[in-house]
Amino acid sequence: MVSAPAEKRIDEAAGLKIRRVWKEFTSLDGGATPGAVAVSDVTLSIAPGELVSIVGPSGCGKSTLLRMTAGLIAPSSGEILIGNQPITGPSAERGLVFQDPSLFPWLTVRRNIEAGLVARGVLRENRHEVDEFMRLVGLESFANSFPHHLSGGMAQRVALARALINRPRILLLDEPLGALDAFTRMRMQDEVLRLWQARGTTMLFVTHDIDEAIYMSERIVIMTQRPGKIEQIIPVDLARPRDRSSDEFLSLRSDILETLHFAGRK
Ligand SMILES: Nc1ncnc2c1ncn2[C@@H]1O[C@H](COP(=O)(O)OP(=O)(O)O)[C@@H](O)[C@H]1O
Ligand SMILES: [Mg+2]
């Protein structure tokens, strides 16, 4: 059998199933803190290769849900499956990108991207892929630059490449563009969409920017305040590339705002 060349290989995207998940934070002595339910009874299925956003006000449990999916913390009850595998802890098959790219300041762009491979102990056999992933995020001419020479958008591209080089079956993004200025943010939205289309990776994208969610996702999950639960799931059937000023876009936007009670009409 002849295997496909590295450049042609597509990550094997996985579906995600979140079933009746609750998360209650407990105090150090193990007792429940009153009102400490951060996520209550969340059920959500994401198809392989789907891009789903979660929007909701600060403190509604978005990051908690993402951290449970990453395996960084365990649900108090319920289960989360990747494909058919229950999540028991962190794994490279679930890539994570946060608002702060957290690059190693003493390492070059190339070494920062390689760090994803070092963490898995597969640098020797996969080192040749670093160039591929630097090209993928358009950073090949910055291979030897250090993080303090990069703009915020470029640093976030390094973080994306570092997550993608492990060929995750799902990419978990927690407000990854939240610290960028408006113009860089729009460019990076296109960049993430291009990566999604090129690699077909399943993506769960947390944002509190409604326009960003409509521009990017196939479905939008709206979460509401504590105890964080899913209020509504909205499919976005707009053709791509999406026009942020089209009537359909704006009407979807006002529907979502109304659901979030920001429109003041409820
Ligand atoms: N480690 C923790 N211990 C106690 N409470 C927490 C912890 N992490 C998050 N919370 C609480 O859970 C709720 C949801 O937090 P979070 O998931 O970070 O919200 P979001 O990402 O939507 O802003 C918040 O009220 C927060 O204070
Ligand atoms: Mg958060």
Side-chain angles (χ1 to χ4, degrees):
M1 199 181 86
V2 184
S3 62
E7 286 77 10
K8 294 274 153 50
R9 215 168 66 214
I10 293 297
D11 317 322
E12 196 196 333
L16 172 71
K17 289 193 195 80
I18 300 177
R19 287 196 193 132
R20 310 217 59 174
V21 162
W22 291 72
K23 180 67 187 179
E24 187 169 9
F25 287 104
T26 48
S27 56
L28 283 179
D29 60 11
T33 323
V37 176
V39 170
S40 74
D41 203 16
V42 165
T43 294
L44 174 68
S45 281
I46 298 180
E50 200 181 6
L51 196 172
V52 172
S53 290
I54 303 181
V55 297
S58 185
C60 73
K62 305 181 295 295
S63 296
T64 303
L65 195 58
L66 216 73
R67 284 165 65 216
M68 289 191 284
T69 308
L72 298 173
I73 52 173
S76 307
S77 69
E79 59 175 358
I80 306 181
L81 299 107
I82 293 283
N84 293 317
Q85 296 286 315
I87 289 168
T88 52
S91 153
E93 69 171 27
R94 279 162 271 136
L96 268 172
V97 180
F98 301 102
Q99 181 170 329
D100 167 10
S102 318
L103 304 180
F104 298 116
W106 60 89
L107 297 180
T108 60
V109 164
R110 172 185 294 279
R111 296 261 180 250
N112 265 287
I113 295 173
E114 281 179 0
L117 298 172
V118 171
R120 275 197 308 147
V122 294
L123 178 60
R124 191 186 295 259
E125 51 277 41
N126 295 75
R127 195 193 293 270
H128 62 281
E129 294 191 342
V130 176
D131 288 314
E132 176 196 340
F133 281 85
M134 278 193 303
R135 261 201 314 281
L136 190 70
V137 295
L139 281 176
E140 59 273 54
S141 48
F142 293 89
N144 298 315
S145 303
F146 286 88
H148 64 271
H149 286 133
L150 305 178
S151 65
M154 286 157 75
Q156 208 47 291
R157 282 164 202 257
V158 178
L160 281 165
R162 183 179 56 186
L164 286 169
I165 200 166
N166 284 321
R167 300 180 184 280
R169 301 185 66 205
I170 180 166
L171 193 59
L172 306 171
L173 305 122
D174 195 350
E175 307 202 19
L177 313 181
L180 306 177
D181 66 80
F183 297 108
T184 310
R185 185 167 189 152
M186 285 193 276
R187 270 208 312 278
M188 286 297 290
Q189 288 167 357
D190 286 327
E191 192 75 6
V192 174
L193 283 176
R194 191 178 61 73
L195 293 172
W196 173 62
Q197 280 158 343
R199 308 207 65 83
T201 310
T202 312
M203 293 193 183
L204 185 54
F205 190 99
V206 167
T207 176
H208 55 231
D209 183 327
I210 294 163
D211 287 23
E212 180 166 275
I214 301 174
Y215 186 72
M216 300 194 61
S217 3
E218 295 181 284
R219 285 189 297 152
I220 300 175
V221 175
I222 300 180
M223 284 184 72
T224 46
Q225 269 302 355
R226 296 184 67 149
K229 61 177 176 52
I230 294 181
E231 180 73 26
Q232 208 180 330
I233 300 180
I234 299 179
V236 187
D237 293 323
L238 308 179
R240 293 179 193 276
R242 291 177 177 164
D243 174 358
R244 296 174 212 260
S245 55
S246 72
D247 291 344
E248 298 92 328
F249 196 107
L250 296 173
S251 115
L252 195 53
R253 183 175 197 267
S254 82
D255 288 350
I256 295 174
L257 280 170
E258 198 173 338
T259 303
L260 287 166
H261 304 283
F262 289 166
R265 278 184 271 136
K266 271 195 168 175

